[in-house]
Amino acid sequence: MPSSPRTAELRRIARFGVVGLASSGLYLLIFAGLVMVMAPVPASLLAYALSAGLNFMVQSSFTFGQSPVNAGNALRFMAMHLVCAATNSALVWLLTGRLGLPVLPTQAAIVVFIAALSYVLSRFWVYAERGTATRLP
């Protein structure tokens, strides 16, 4: 018996979360290894690029059922990461710098928001079927 659209969406969200957590763990492992042989900033950039590349391939195939060999999806994926990073930084600046909220609890809340934003952008823009009503511009 086929699953309902709601059940299918909940499964997709769960897969997205598992892949995201695994990607974060991979980032930390790569970073920990690289920081032993290079400065922290380049180590962070390289670790992020490597884990994001793997994240793209796994999210494409496992979460959204699409081929990771798709230049349009790859460009939208990179743009989504830039939007999420900029949004995170802007919220940290506003909430901690301007409103004086405590840094760590505020960042923890922002991480949850950014994860949701990342899912919505992935679902309805990065991996949207082109030419359908669910597509964002």
Side-chain angles (χ1 to χ4, degrees):
M1 178 172 163
S3 63
S4 71
R6 182 173 186 242
T7 302
E9 192 67 30
L10 290 173
R11 284 187 183 136
R12 185 179 297 118
I13 291 168
R15 288 191 302 264
F16 183 85
V18 166
V19 172
L21 288 173
S23 179
S24 296
L26 178 64
Y27 165 81
L28 289 171
L29 288 173
I30 294 170
F31 177 75
L34 290 174
V35 82
M36 297 201 291
V37 296
M38 65 176 62
V41 171
S44 175
L45 292 171
L46 184 55
Y48 189 89
L50 292 170
S51 65
L54 184 61
N55 183 286
F56 170 71
M57 291 188 297
V58 177
Q59 292 291 19
S60 295
S61 58
F62 177 66
T63 304
F64 294 100
Q66 296 188 17
S67 169
V69 185
N70 182 315
N73 284 2
L75 289 173
R76 286 185 295 275
F77 186 84
M78 287 187 282
M80 177 206 56
H81 272 275
L82 291 173
V83 166
C84 288
T87 301
N88 185 87
S89 295
L91 288 172
V92 167
W93 173 81
L94 174 68
L95 298 174
T96 65
R98 293 303 212 176
L99 299 179
L101 296 176
V103 173
L104 291 179
T106 300
Q107 180 62 74
I110 292 171
V111 163
V112 173
F113 173 77
I114 294 298
L117 175 63
S118 176
Y119 179 79
V120 169
L121 290 173
S122 293
R123 174 74 171 91
F124 296 105
W125 184 54
V126 174
Y127 299 105
E129 294 181 32
R130 302 296 143 213
T132 66
T134 60
R135 183 177 158 269
L136 293 179

